[in-house]
Amino acid sequence: MEENESLLEFVHQQAGKLAEQTITHTGLTFISVLLAVAIGIPAGILITRKKKLATLVLGFAGVMQTIPSIALLGFMIPLLGIGAKPAIVALFLYALLPIIRNTYTGIRGVDPTVTEAAIGMGMSDRQLLYKVQLPLAMSVILAGIRTATVINVGVATLAAYIAAGGLGEFIFGGIALNNTNMMLAGAIPAALLALLFDWLLSRLQHINFRKSRKVVIALPIILLILSSFYLLPNTYESRMKAGFTPEFMGRQDGYLGLKSVYGLNIRTVVINDMIMYKAIAEKKLDVISGSSTDGRVKAFYLFVLRDDKHIFPPYYAAPIVREAVLNQYPELEPVLNSLSGTINDSIMTELNYRVDYLKQSPEKVAKDFLVANQLYKTPRNGNKGTIRIGSKIFGDGYILANMYKMLIEGYTDLTVTTKTGLGGTKIVFDALVNEQLDLYPEYTGTGLLVILSSPKKIVDSLISDSQKVYEYVSKQFHNQYNIKWLKPIGFNNTYALMMRKEEAAQLNIQNISALTNYVNQH
Amino acid sequence: MIKLSHVTKFFESGTEVVKDLSFDVADGETLVLLGTSGGGKTTTLRMINRLIDPDKGEIYINNQNIKQLSPISLRRKIGYVLQNTGLFPHYTVLENIGVVPTLLQWDKSSIEKRSVSLMEKLRLSPSEYANVYPHQLSGGQQQRVGLARALAADPPILLMDEPFGALDPLTRISVRKEFKNLDEIHNKIVILVTHDVEEAFELGTRIGLMNNGVMQQLGTPGELLFQPANDFVKSFLKPQQLELELRTVILNDIAEWLPDEDNEDQPSSLQPENTCWDALEQVSNQPATIQLQGKRKLINGNTLLQGIANYKNTYSHGRK
């Protein structure tokens, strides 16, 4: 019951946004279906007359259908940028196959005797098409349009990944923030839209087209009106445009904080993390949210703005180890601490860059780094015991786990097994608590917010001071889990706002306050 | 007049469907193309309304080479009846019949008038059937609508591809009879394709028997029966030979071999134009007499068969 009420509350609070998203969603769906009808039906007709083209055209449309939606959207970015255009093109490509194929099958399915009679009576190609083939194939063609519409209502949710809006903003925001109400506020209207459009088109399918020719004319007009919905929301303009992930949009230590603490009022679009970096590099966006040590900061020549009012919590990385293991092997702690102070943000960015962009293996990157810092020693191949190191699925984790493995095997008689690429915080941490792992690198912010789920009051009192956060999580982990936070490695992998290096220098924007000033003045 | 001159058509595989075919059809004539399946009859028919074009040879209609005519306007002047009717399932009966007049842009009221009058002639009650769809009709009714559609624009030529082939035997006979008695067809050239020998002999003023793309014999029913051109013709007709003879030969043909009869007690309704088949039906119980060529003749089973035998004998030895 409580869940229901709060969902209704959420919908009530966000009614304006929900309406806007629904309208955008409808517009996206129908403009792409309209284009697909405009191209797909003539193409379907063409291939009934030029049989050799049929395999080619149907094959092309079929291949389009098999490309994963998010990948197809990704392909569109370099060609069409972000926003409505690539989304419409991608949705159009998805809608093509059912429409072309149903047109083709519908016309091919007309009784050949009837076609022959029509030709024998002296109908021209045009008359044959309009008087016989299309009317008889119409219900099959409409079924294709129905399929395409329902597919597109679903796929259009992904448009939120490339800043085209739609109900996907709530769905993916909800998933990222683990906010069920937000998720349902997007998913339920999307499902209802699909059912509604399917039903409406099914009504059309049962109309006798010869009895009401008006419908044939009305159909494209209705589609056109629905399509034009998309143009409605895009009326306001500001000079700079920010692309934020759905998660960032909904977080207090994200966009909400930017608005309330800094007073930043920038035009925002919701966008997927994978596409965001490319979009800013290609000047489709001017500001994005990201993580400060991401290799792409370097790869795309970005500049991380300083968080001068400290709204982003500190995410300093440090190894966390079960205290029982430290007691059993006292030599372990100094070896693990030897990495402390060696890696700052830009070094971590560089290391991530080498793994993510230069495609070097995490082992090689880790070894090169240790060698360069004269920390590397050849493994002793001892047999005193085995240490199990875990890591999350991010680049940071892979590299650090490999460094720790090399250090432990070089400086002690212990051997190491690594379990890298564990899905998320919860999975790795549970493995540690349940003694499946002995240590893994964790971030102070994650410890504070995710693992300890600290009350807001405590978070607010600590968040601006990284040292206090570290001390708090160390104490709590010791008390609650008998797990020790060793010394921080040095880098802070936190949320960050970033701009193109070139533009930041040109406008002389170093921190978020400066950005706010600039945006609010222009 | 339709004239085919050395017409040849190849399959895609290169074999000949129709081989060096030449014949003329005069106005008012009903030519039946008869033969086995795959004999080239339908192909010949479809070349006349240019649904296919011949690979060699020429086809003329009223001395005009049809190659020089637009296929569309050519087809609008040729009625076309298909075996499986090919009625438009989304058109009502009235609309189906009015297809060609509509294409020819007749005005609405004359289209309707013409369609209704054809329905009446073909014994389809307009009030009952004008606005129903083809799937609501029986097979015989559908075929009547198909026939009406072909006749609607009163074309000078009517092409019929196995028009009664899909009907059950009883319906076939009744639709065929209606067709035969239809005044509409009397001034037209009708070319009809069938593999039903009985139908060919009933409807054809001339019959062209085709096999493997070659015209085996083209002639009147009597010529095919009594002067077969080759063994194929002979063996093709053999299973129904006697019946066909009875149906083809009329009483007047055999008058000279019928015995005279003085007794005037057995008058009958038979006319000189009646076939021997009709006569046989009437005299199965008791003999009858008929006035032929100025003399009263006796007709019973024996005299009829004897007469036919003599007729055949004379005919096949060159006397016409």
Side-chain angles (χ1 to χ4, degrees), chain A residues 43 106 174 192 245 279 290 310 360 378 408 459 473 495 521:
Chain A
L192 291 179
T245 60
H310 304 287
Q360 297 174 352
T378 41
I408 293 168
V459 173
V473 293
Y495 279 124
Q521 277 166 25

Side-chain angles (χ1 to χ4, degrees), chain A residues 47 50-63 97 104:
Chain A
I47 60 176
K50 301 209 187 303
K51 301 273 157 60
K52 280 176 191 161
L53 276 177
T55 337
L56 196 75
V57 171
L58 287 173
F60 168 80
V63 167
L97 180 67
Y104 178 72

Side-chain angles (χ1 to χ4, degrees), chain A residues 9-29:
Chain A
E9 264 168 40
F10 181 90
V11 170
H12 189 68
Q13 280 166 14
Q14 304 280 337
K17 207 162 179 200
L18 184 62
E20 182 192 312
Q21 289 185 6
T22 309
I23 286 171
T24 309
H25 205 94
T26 308
L28 273 179
T29 304

Side-chain angles (χ1 to χ4, degrees), chain B residues 223-274:
Chain B
E223 285 168 342
L224 262 75
L225 272 175
F226 303 117
Q227 294 177 310
N230 55 35
D231 288 345
F232 177 82
V233 179
K234 215 181 281 178
S235 62
F236 194 86
L237 301 179
K238 194 162 185 194
Q240 284 143 287
Q241 181 82 25
L242 181 61
E243 189 188 331
L244 294 175
E245 287 172 2
L246 286 166
R247 284 180 183 282
T248 307
V249 178
I250 58 173
L251 293 175
N252 206 30
D253 291 338
I254 57 168
E256 57 183 294
W257 295 289
L258 291 173
D260 296 343
E261 174 63 51
D262 299 330
N263 188 351
E264 291 179 26
D265 291 347
Q266 295 153 322
S268 75
S269 59
L270 289 169
Q271 300 296 317
E273 293 76 29
N274 278 117

Side-chain angles (χ1 to χ4, degrees), chain A residues 126-140:
Chain A
R126 237 183 125 74
Q127 288 165 331
L128 173 68
L129 183 66
Y130 286 110
K131 286 175 181 271
V132 178
Q133 291 179 322
L134 283 182
L136 290 176
M138 192 49 80
S139 69
V140 181

Side-chain angles (χ1 to χ4, degrees), chain B residues 298-312:
Chain B
L298 175 70
I299 300 176
N300 60 30
N302 281 337
T303 59
L304 279 173
L305 291 178
Q306 191 58 48
I308 287 177
N310 286 324
Y311 175 79
K312 189 172 166 183

Side-chain angles (χ1 to χ4, degrees), chain B residues 7-274:
Chain B
V7 169
T8 297
K9 179 74 194 171
F10 297 100
F11 272 132
E12 273 175 35
S13 61
T15 54
E16 290 158 314
V17 205
V18 170
K19 221 182 275 186
D20 192 28
L21 189 64
S22 301
F23 62 80
D24 297 352
V25 194
D27 293 349
E29 196 177 7
T30 298
L31 174 67
V32 176
L33 294 177
L34 175 68
T36 47
S37 308
K41 317 179 294 280
T42 297
T43 306
T44 306
L45 197 72
R46 288 157 57 93
M47 284 192 286
I48 296 170
N49 65 359
R50 292 195 63 187
L51 285 173
I52 40 182
D53 284 322
D55 293 316
K56 286 183 201 163
E58 309 297 335
I59 299 173
Y60 301 89
I61 292 178
N62 296 333
N63 297 320
Q64 197 169 18
N65 193 328
I66 62 167
K67 260 187 212 164
Q68 286 150 10
L69 300 171
S70 114
I72 288 168
S73 57
L74 173 74
R75 288 174 197 143
R76 289 177 186 174
K77 284 177 218 146
I78 298 178
Y80 187 38
V81 183
L82 295 88
Q83 174 172 11
N84 291 311
T85 74
L87 293 179
F88 303 131
H90 56 308
Y91 279 19
T92 61
V93 166
L94 211 60
E95 288 168 328
N96 262 294
I97 297 174
V99 164
V100 183
T102 308
L103 292 175
L104 294 169
Q105 297 176 321
W106 290 16
D107 67 78
K108 260 193 176 162
S109 61
S110 21
I111 295 176
E112 193 176 329
K113 219 170 116 193
R114 172 68 177 154
S115 305
V116 167
S117 105
L118 276 168
M119 285 183 78
E120 279 162 352
K121 280 185 191 173
L122 286 159
R123 299 201 298 118
L124 283 163
S125 152
S127 60
E128 204 173 332
Y129 296 113
N131 295 312
V132 306
Y133 288 88
H135 68 91
Q136 295 164 291
L137 299 176
S138 71
Q141 290 169 326
Q142 289 183 10
Q143 203 52 56
R144 288 190 183 97
V145 175
L147 186 57
R149 180 175 66 177
L151 293 170
D154 197 18
I157 298 169
L158 188 61
L159 303 181
M160 308 177 82
D161 188 2
E162 306 243 10
F164 314 115
L167 304 177
D168 65 84
L170 281 177
T171 315
R172 190 185 312 166
I173 288 167
S174 76
V175 178
R176 206 153 71 193
K177 198 166 274 168
E178 266 166 52
F179 170 73
K180 202 179 167 184
N181 296 327
L182 207 60
D183 57 350
E184 294 270 345
I185 63 164
H186 288 150
N187 323 315
K188 297 187 195 307
I189 294 181
V190 179
I191 301 183
L192 183 146
V193 162
T194 183
H195 58 251
D196 182 333
V197 180
E198 203 182 302
E199 185 168 299
F201 277 76
E202 183 179 341
L203 299 179
T205 43
R206 280 194 302 158
I207 296 169
L209 180 57
M210 292 181 76
N211 186 40
N212 292 330
V214 178
M215 183 64 85
Q216 303 293 329
Q217 186 172 4
L218 179 64
T220 62
E223 285 168 342
L224 262 75
L225 272 175
F226 303 117
Q227 294 177 310
N230 55 35
D231 288 345
F232 177 82
V233 179
K234 215 181 281 178
S235 62
F236 194 86
L237 301 179
K238 194 162 185 194
Q240 284 143 287
Q241 181 82 25
L242 181 61
E243 189 188 331
L244 294 175
E245 287 172 2
L246 286 166
R247 284 180 183 282
T248 307
V249 178
I250 58 173
L251 293 175
N252 206 30
D253 291 338
I254 57 168
E256 57 183 294
W257 295 289
L258 291 173
D260 296 343
E261 174 63 51
D262 299 330
N263 188 351
E264 291 179 26
D265 291 347
Q266 295 153 322
S268 75
S269 59
L270 289 169
Q271 300 296 317
E273 293 76 29
N274 278 117

